[in-house]
Amino acid sequence: MVDQELAREQDYVATLYARLDALQREAEAQLKAVRMLDVGGNHQSRSERDTFARTYEDRIVQLREVDDRLAFGRLETAPEDGAPVYRYIGRVGLRDENLQPILLDWRVPQASAFYQATAATPLGARSRRHLLSNGRRIIRIEDEILDAALLEGDTAALHQGEGALLSALTAQRTGHMSDIVSTIQAEQDRIIRSELNGVLVVQGGPGTGKTAVALHRAAYLLYTHRDRLQNSGVLIVGPSTSFLQYIEAVLPSLGETGVVLASVGQLFPGVEASHEDAPAVAALKGQIFMADLIARAVKSRQKVPATSQKLLVNGDTLVLKPQLIEAAIHRARAGGKPHNEARVVFVKHALNALAREWLEQLQKQGRSMDDTDLPMLREDLRLADDVRVALNTAWLPLTPQKLVQDLYARPQWLEELTPRWRAAQRALLHRPRAAEFTIADVPLLDEAAEHLGEYSAVDAAAKREAKEQRKRDIENAELAIKNMDVKGLVNAKSLADNFAELGDRATTAERAALDRSWTYGHVIVDEAQELSPMQWRLLMRRGPRRSFTIVGDIAQAAAAAAADSWREALAPVLEASFEADRWRLEELTVNYRTPSQISEAAEKMAVAHGLPITASRTVRASDWPVAVLTDTVDALRRERALGAGGTVAVIVVEENIDALAQALDAEFGDIVGRGALGLLRDVALLTPQDSKGLEFDAAIVVDPTAIVAASERGAGALYVAMTRATQRLYLVSDGPLPMGLTDLA
């Protein structure tokens, strides 16, 4: 009976792959035909051709990415006309040549029963079948019976419960995260399908699938709210570049590529910050009062001179009085524009006033001049070196980078701006102007950009022109859709996204990543417990609609500026007091990743250090107890000797990573890699921060006591490090272990 069912499912899945291949060939033919179109030298026609080519290219990529495990489930519902009704669930939806559905996209409402149905609440389903595959071949089927009547007869032999889930949990890790689309559990599915609007907080301990839920939610929202999100995009913010590399393949495997993945250090275009400040420095930069400091710093660059200045212009000596500069500054500030944009008003008003004074001076000297000469005098003033120096001294155009660099490198200026600060606080910010920006600097750069605005009038004009071009592109797109007779394939707005007079074919995600002022339709934040108030302000500017999915675990907070509760963390997001309760909390309570013996040890340590852990239930144990050793090389030797394969994380504090890297390289060679590179090797050497959100078959945590002592939140960092393993955990220490772990020694 099992063999017959397996063969039947293989036949059906083969028809699905045949249809997938046919659709891919069709898209390739359409792409070839579009590329061969002779559109001559007309810019608009070339743009239309390239846009449709991009549409077909994207379709081909999507069809290729979903090839692996295309179909993974089947629902049996109540019989119709005496025959059972089967609905197959997969990564994308497919229809046959007659447009009849043959595979349901996992995100459609009809597929929700595959994840949520139980015997008590079957949601119209009689059974749920998991299809386990290797490539395009079905190798095993597992049924979960929801209707007791099906337990009679031969089909009872197929009932195997949660084997598909446990198989996925115990599979070896590869250095890249796998999707969980075939094994999403009911509590996860409910969160994934939660409404788009508002702030959703997903709290869960290690191993509960927070990151997987966040990524699948992104795919679900993009599918369900395509019209709203396609042109604004979805931003996913992770804790590190290692984490982003780890998750980068998940969304393409679910048929979605239009998402911006970034760490906080990458959220200011032109800056790639990857280094952390010392904890005390990061904590200071993360405080909300830094926003006021940036505002004061910008305003202080609009200065009225203390005395009058003599200016030489075309052989004449003019006197620039402080009152003239003060009036021009007042006029510019009244418009409420950012610094660089308001400077245009300042310069215009100052030149007008100075030209008037110069004209009166020339008239007193007997020159035959009147108001018609004012434009000429203004132009002479604008070109004069003395005038340019005087006006720039009073109101200099600035970049965010220069403002922040000056703030750190000029102690006297910082002291003027912070009269109530202690000298020790100011000293934390002091550094050379040439020092590279850190992760904690990025929100300050973004804050400065808000106050400074466009760097020049040319930038502002380009932005206005881009807005007008957008309107023209939408009009052209509507005509193109009509001319190409492809109504329904693509809408005008998404088509316009790929229009450009000079052939710029950037996607929405690519354009969003390069535009600091881009606002996303939805923002997903992973490891959100680590964010400082200033980082939250930055994210609020990226998502002003307050449509957020916030994922994390307060107990795992290790950053110096992290909050102690979600209410505290969300204060910058829910700025107004009346919004304090306008967020909803969902909790994940089942630990799928971490074996019970590791979970129990980590939770015992966390409780001993007062961490507010979320109680969770582990679904399995492994065959190995937590091991305590005295040498890291020995621990890795033992792990390798097991011959179990898979991936290993060696987690150590930053200050010891260089010495340990040398020791491991000498013993094991190029199987060891540091940071993000390590995810491509058998052994990854990481700091606790770099390991956030990742998972490995085994973890070797080096000197747990040093991890706890490294910062005020060191116990949270150790909690993170101990819960990365799916099978085996080694603690390496030649001294006492931290509180809660002493019985292991």
Side-chain angles (χ1 to χ4, degrees):
M1 182 64 184
V2 174
D3 290 341
Q4 291 174 7
E5 287 293 301
L6 191 63
R8 195 172 76 83
E9 297 297 3
Q10 180 64 61
D11 289 344
Y12 190 86
V13 169
T15 65
L16 296 177
Y17 276 111
R19 183 58 178 158
L20 183 74
D21 292 340
L23 290 172
Q24 187 171 319
R25 288 193 298 271
E26 183 180 314
E28 289 169 348
Q30 291 167 325
L31 175 61
K32 183 178 180 180
V34 167
R35 284 176 172 168
M36 293 178 65
L37 286 175
D38 182 7
V39 294
N42 183 278
H43 285 303
Q44 179 60 37
S45 297
R46 288 207 307 271
S47 181
E48 291 175 9
R49 178 198 61 195
D50 291 345
T51 298
F52 282 108
R54 182 59 175 265
T55 299
Y56 295 130
E57 288 169 357
D58 290 346
R59 177 62 170 163
I60 292 168
V61 170
Q62 181 196 45
L63 294 173
R64 287 175 180 168
E65 291 288 350
V66 300
D67 192 289
D68 185 38
R69 293 174 295 147
L70 172 65
F72 51 78
R74 188 196 77 179
L75 279 174
E76 179 181 347
T77 59
E80 293 181 5
D81 300 327
V85 176
Y86 299 126
R87 290 177 177 170
Y88 284 82
I89 315 298
R91 296 174 177 277
V92 292
L94 293 178
R95 292 177 179 270
D96 62 18
E97 294 84 349
N98 299 318
L99 301 182
Q100 295 302 308
I102 55 176
L103 183 66
L104 294 180
D105 191 297
W106 67 275
R107 294 165 285 194
V108 300
Q110 300 95 311
S112 62
F114 183 76
Y115 303 109
Q116 297 182 14
T118 65
T121 311
L123 302 177
R126 302 188 71 200
S127 73
R128 170 172 44 226
R129 172 168 288 181
H130 295 272
L131 308 176
L132 287 81
S133 59
N134 183 5
R136 292 189 169 194
R137 186 169 63 89
I138 302 299
I139 58 175
R140 197 162 81 243
I141 55 178
E142 295 184 350
D143 283 350
E144 295 176 64
I145 306 302
L146 306 174
D147 183 347
L150 293 180
L151 291 173
E152 302 172 359
D154 293 336
T155 56
L158 298 175
H159 182 209
Q160 299 181 52
E162 296 183 335
L165 173 61
L166 293 177
S167 175
L169 296 178
T170 56
Q172 286 186 354
R173 269 47 189 175
T174 64
H176 287 285
M177 184 178 183
S178 299
D179 63 72
I180 62 167
V181 65
S182 62
T183 57
I184 293 171
Q185 301 301 292
E187 71 170 4
Q188 297 172 328
D189 189 67
R190 186 183 68 253
I191 295 169
I192 289 168
R193 296 175 191 268
S194 183
E195 63 181 277
L196 171 65
N197 294 325
V199 177
L200 170 65
V201 177
V202 183
Q203 161 72 32
T208 54
K210 299 184 297 297
T211 297
V213 166
L215 295 174
H216 288 69
R217 176 161 168 76
Y220 172 79
L221 292 176
L222 282 165
Y223 180 89
T224 308
H225 303 279
R226 182 77 61 187
D227 290 343
R228 173 171 165 179
L229 297 178
Q230 187 171 22
N231 296 318
S232 58
V234 171
L235 171 65
I236 298 180
V237 180
S240 66
T241 53
S242 299
F243 173 84
L244 297 177
Q245 179 178 308
Y246 179 66
I247 68 171
E248 65 185 358
V250 173
L251 284 164
S253 75
L254 298 174
E256 297 295 347
T257 56
V259 174
V260 176
L261 298 175
S263 65
V264 175
Q266 297 172 315
L267 288 178
F268 189 85
V271 173
E272 285 271 345
S274 58
H275 295 294
E276 297 275 2
D277 284 299
V281 179
L284 178 62
K285 291 179 179 179
Q287 297 305 311
I288 204 72
F289 56 67
M290 291 298 292
D292 294 330
L293 173 58
I294 294 295
R296 292 197 303 274
V298 172
K299 193 171 183 179
S300 75
R301 303 307 287 265
Q302 304 161 9
K303 299 172 64 175
V304 178
T307 60
S308 296
Q309 304 170 69
K310 291 184 178 181
L311 310 176
L312 185 62
V313 184
N314 291 353
D316 290 329
T317 300
L318 306 179
V319 177
L320 179 61
K321 299 174 183 176
Q323 293 86 346
L324 185 150
I325 294 295
E326 184 176 20
I329 288 176
H330 179 76
R331 185 76 169 268
R333 286 176 176 174
K337 292 182 178 180
H339 175 90
N340 290 329
E341 297 169 33
R343 183 180 180 274
V344 176
V345 178
F346 162 76
V347 171
K348 180 179 179 180
H349 186 79
L351 290 177
N352 285 341
L354 194 56
R356 174 65 63 182
E357 290 186 1
W358 191 14
L359 176 62
E360 292 174 357
Q361 180 176 314
L362 293 173
Q363 288 173 335
K364 288 178 181 179
Q365 294 172 357
R367 304 278 187 94
S368 177
M369 304 183 76
D370 57 28
D371 286 0
T372 60
D373 295 302
L374 283 173
M376 177 191 66
L377 296 178
R378 278 197 301 269
E379 183 63 14
D380 288 344
L381 289 169
R382 188 180 67 81
L383 297 175
D385 289 340
D386 281 7
V387 175
R388 284 208 300 267
V389 170
L391 295 185
N392 281 341
T393 301
W395 193 310
L396 186 70
L398 289 167
T399 65
Q401 290 91 330
K402 178 169 174 51
L403 181 85
V404 174
Q405 287 167 338
D406 286 350
L407 194 63
Y408 296 154
R410 295 172 55 187
Q412 186 175 351
W413 183 38
L414 180 60
E415 185 175 356
E416 292 172 2
L417 294 171
T418 58
R420 297 183 180 180
W421 282 29
R422 300 187 307 276
Q425 285 180 292
R426 298 189 196 99
L428 290 173
L429 294 183
H430 181 66
R431 73 181 192 199
R433 185 175 277 102
E436 65 181 80
F437 290 112
T438 65
I439 294 171
D441 289 329
V442 168
L444 304 186
L445 291 169
D446 198 70
E447 193 77 30
E450 282 292 299
H451 290 284
L452 292 172
E454 303 289 349
Y455 182 67
S456 70
V458 174
D459 294 333
K463 203 163 188 177
R464 287 194 297 272
E465 171 57 26
K467 190 174 182 180
E468 292 301 316
Q469 183 63 45
R470 169 72 173 168
K471 293 180 181 178
R472 294 193 292 269
D473 284 345
I474 292 177
E475 293 173 358
N476 292 335
E478 291 170 345
L479 288 174
I481 290 172
K482 183 177 180 180
N483 294 338
M484 299 285 286
D485 192 24
V486 289
K487 187 175 181 180
L489 176 64
V490 64
N491 63 48
K493 286 186 178 180
S494 61
L495 189 60
D497 286 338
N498 287 317
F499 276 2
E501 197 67 25
L502 299 178
D504 178 12
R505 299 172 60 202
T507 64
T508 297
E510 291 165 343
R511 288 185 292 110
L514 296 174
D515 186 352
R516 191 201 68 83
S517 62
W518 191 279
T519 58
Y520 294 88
H522 192 75
V523 179
I524 294 176
V525 189
D526 205 348
E527 301 294 345
Q529 74 279 352
E530 300 296 340
L531 298 185
S532 70
M534 286 301 295
Q535 289 169 336
W536 278 116
R537 279 179 66 89
L538 162 62
L539 291 177
M540 271 303 303
R541 285 191 283 271
R542 301 297 185 270
R545 294 178 178 178
R546 289 186 176 84
S547 180
F548 277 78
T549 299
I550 295 168
V551 179
D553 179 15
I554 289 294
Q556 295 185 58
D564 294 321
S565 69
W566 284 119
R567 184 170 294 278
E568 178 187 342
L570 295 178
V573 183
L574 306 170
E575 295 161 329
S577 59
F578 69 87
E579 292 185 317
D581 295 318
R582 289 181 60 182
W583 58 283
R584 55 196 193 277
L585 175 68
E586 293 279 1
E587 292 191 278
L588 293 169
T589 60
V590 180
N591 186 333
Y592 298 100
R593 178 181 68 221
T594 317
S596 57
Q597 51 268 59
I598 297 177
S599 176
E600 289 167 5
E603 290 183 2
K604 191 173 180 180
M605 182 281 301
V607 170
H609 287 84
L611 298 183
I613 64 171
T614 300
S616 61
R617 174 176 59 86
T618 56
V619 299
R620 64 188 178 92
S622 72
D623 296 330
W624 298 273
V626 177
V628 179
L629 304 173
T630 58
D631 181 72
T632 306
V633 172
D634 180 44
L636 188 50
R637 274 201 210 103
R638 294 191 186 200
E639 170 61 26
R640 301 280 296 171
L642 291 175
T647 58
V648 182
V650 179
I651 304 173
V652 62
V653 292
E654 180 77 40
E655 64 190 48
N656 295 335
I657 202 166
D658 289 335
L660 185 57
Q662 291 181 2
L664 295 179
D665 286 343
E667 178 73 19
F668 301 101
D670 60 6
I671 68 167
V672 181
R674 293 177 60 165
L677 177 63
L679 301 182
L680 305 177
R681 307 280 179 86
D682 293 342
V683 181
L685 183 58
L686 304 164
T687 65
Q689 171 64 24
D690 286 338
S691 73
K692 278 186 174 295
L694 310 183
E695 58 184 41
F696 303 86
D697 293 277
I700 301 172
V701 179
V702 181
D703 199 350
T705 301
I707 294 176
V708 172
S711 69
E712 292 183 11
R713 297 177 178 269
L718 178 56
Y719 186 49
V720 170
M722 290 181 65
T723 52
R724 298 306 94 198
T726 64
Q727 300 292 345
R728 295 169 293 281
L729 172 64
Y730 304 85
L731 301 179
V732 176
S733 176
D734 57 4
L737 291 170
M739 290 187 300
L741 298 177
T742 53
D743 59 331
L744 292 176

